[in-house]
Amino acid sequence: MQTQINNKIGLSFSQLLRSFLRLDPDVILVGEIRDGDTAQIGFDAAQTGHLVLSTLHTNDAISTLGRLDDLGIDRAQIAASLSCVLAQRLVRRICPTCLADYVPSEEEWSPLFSDYPTHLTFFKGEGCSDCDFTGFSGRTLLSELFVPSDFKSFNKGAGVDELKAEAIESGRMKTMVDDGLLKLGDTTISEILRVVPHEMIQMFRKRGSRSAPGAHDPGPASSTGRGRGFMITDPATEGIRIDQMYEEYLSLAAIIQDEEKIDRELFHRFVTDNFQDLTKTTGSHSILFNFENADGGVRITAVPLD
Ligand SMILES: [Zn+2]
């Protein structure tokens, strides 16, 4: 069932939510929480076993806690009922027709990095008739997921700043900046900097070269002969990295003059299939693929990580 609010006749968010609860639904979607009453009833409903989904306007996922504080929700109730917060921002997607890799100017990369990030490949649209010479076509999103129970300080009643500090320290939470850097084949570095909060950029810099889980970390290089490791956490969004793996495979195959190279498409399928098999059988979330020359061929080993 869906209904509209109508403040003129007293059908406010909170009034309707009260009425809905009498029907004992399993799932309630409140379009937006904008007042203390609605927030309170929403949390009461969550605490009595309903799945409540809603939206709030905040800068980032963790800041939701501050907003809920402002709306008068008791911290203990937040701790008991808040499952997770997903933050997202829209960015323009690079036009696939004129997508090309390039080396951004220092002005572009320096807000995020103190040295040029050689482990990353940047892309932009060069402009073509498909995208009216804008270099962009359609949109995609940067997102981050805050799971309160992942944070030790959360149960001790830590504030937003403290939680953000823990997110930096532990590197456990992938922020929208991290997500953007995983999507460099989809959007440009300027777009990422345009949409993410300034504070988050500073946070990223503070974290320095330490990588977030699964993000742009090239993984430990293999020490046995020539070879490299690549970490994969989501083959569906890491096409660019799989392309880099393919390049590595080709360069290893070239050394031993292996004539029977597999093509790019087959290689992508190989990585995706192995990732899915291994994550399913081991329960891991990331797989490290190591490449090396051995026994006159290219040896690829896949290691489940966590
Ligand atoms: Zn284009």
Side-chain angles (χ1 to χ4, degrees):
M1 280 190 292
Q2 180 179 338
T3 188
Q4 290 282 348
I5 59 163
N6 186 346
N7 282 322
K8 277 189 208 144
I9 56 167
L11 281 184
S12 61
F13 261 115
S14 52
Q15 189 57 46
L16 277 169
L17 199 45
R18 258 187 217 104
S19 309
F20 269 150
L21 281 174
R22 292 196 195 104
L23 302 172
D24 196 26
D26 296 320
V27 184
I28 307 168
L29 173 73
V30 184
E32 188 187 339
I33 290 180
R34 50 178 119 198
D35 59 79
D37 260 1
T38 311
Q40 190 56 59
I41 300 165
F43 268 86
D44 288 346
Q47 216 160 11
T48 50
H50 305 87
L51 176 62
V52 182
L53 305 167
S54 191
T55 64
L56 279 166
H57 288 270
T58 64
N59 263 345
D60 53 60
I62 294 182
S63 299
T64 302
L65 290 177
R67 179 85 181 108
L68 291 172
D69 275 343
D70 291 345
L71 289 169
I73 305 300
D74 184 48
R75 188 52 187 269
Q77 206 172 13
I78 299 177
S81 307
L82 187 65
S83 303
C84 63
V85 185
L86 181 79
Q88 59 183 44
R89 293 194 176 208
L90 286 169
V91 288
R92 289 180 289 174
R93 185 194 286 273
I94 302 173
C95 167
T97 315
C98 57
L99 174 121
D101 61 329
Y102 82 114
V103 177
S105 66
E106 183 166 352
E107 209 169 89
E108 287 174 277
W109 57 259
S110 58
L112 284 172
F113 305 97
S114 46
D115 298 305
Y116 183 76
T118 50
H119 59 295
L120 295 175
T121 310
F122 296 93
F123 295 86
K124 68 174 181 183
E126 290 180 320
C128 66
S129 54
D130 279 4
C131 57
D132 283 334
F133 299 92
T134 59
F136 292 103
S137 168
R139 291 190 289 182
T140 185
L141 59 86
L142 307 184
S143 62
E144 62 181 21
L145 186 69
F146 168 52
V147 181
S149 58
D150 277 355
F151 285 75
K152 279 196 205 101
S153 53
F154 179 73
N155 288 330
K156 295 176 193 149
V160 170
D161 290 342
E162 217 176 311
L163 281 162
K164 283 183 182 171
E166 191 187 333
I168 299 169
E169 278 307 308
S170 65
R172 210 174 293 137
M173 191 177 133
K174 210 165 77 184
T175 68
M176 286 187 275
V177 176
D178 298 316
D179 193 39
L181 294 176
L182 285 171
K183 290 177 177 162
L184 284 176
D186 286 329
T187 194
T188 64
I189 187 165
S190 321
E191 274 297 280
I192 299 170
L193 292 173
R194 183 176 68 82
V195 303
V196 300
H198 180 64
E199 195 195 36
M200 195 175 279
I201 294 168
Q202 287 176 319
M203 203 165 112
F204 181 87
R205 274 200 79 117
K206 224 187 275 174
R207 201 174 68 202
S209 55
R210 266 184 292 160
S211 301
H216 57 82
D217 178 353
S222 167
S223 55
T224 54
R226 191 185 180 291
R228 279 174 72 191
F230 295 84
M231 181 134 81
I232 291 291
T233 51
D234 179 10
T237 60
E238 291 170 328
I240 303 287
R241 165 153 295 181
I242 300 176
D243 274 343
Q244 290 168 353
M245 289 161 67
Y246 185 64
E247 300 300 340
E248 178 70 14
Y249 159 76
L250 286 183
S251 70
L252 287 175
I255 294 173
I256 51 160
Q257 295 172 340
D258 188 348
E259 295 303 320
E260 292 175 32
K261 295 185 194 84
I262 60 171
D263 67 28
R264 191 177 293 264
E265 197 188 327
L266 191 64
F267 184 85
H268 274 252
R269 214 182 314 145
F270 163 81
V271 171
T272 308
D273 288 352
N274 274 287
F275 177 88
Q276 281 165 352
D277 280 348
L278 275 170
T279 46
K280 204 188 287 168
T281 52
T282 64
S284 296
H285 299 291
S286 33
I287 305 292
L288 179 70
F289 288 87
N290 278 311
F291 292 71
E292 59 186 319
N293 278 339
D295 308 326
V298 181
R299 182 196 284 162
I300 306 175
T301 42
V303 188
L305 281 189
D306 60 338

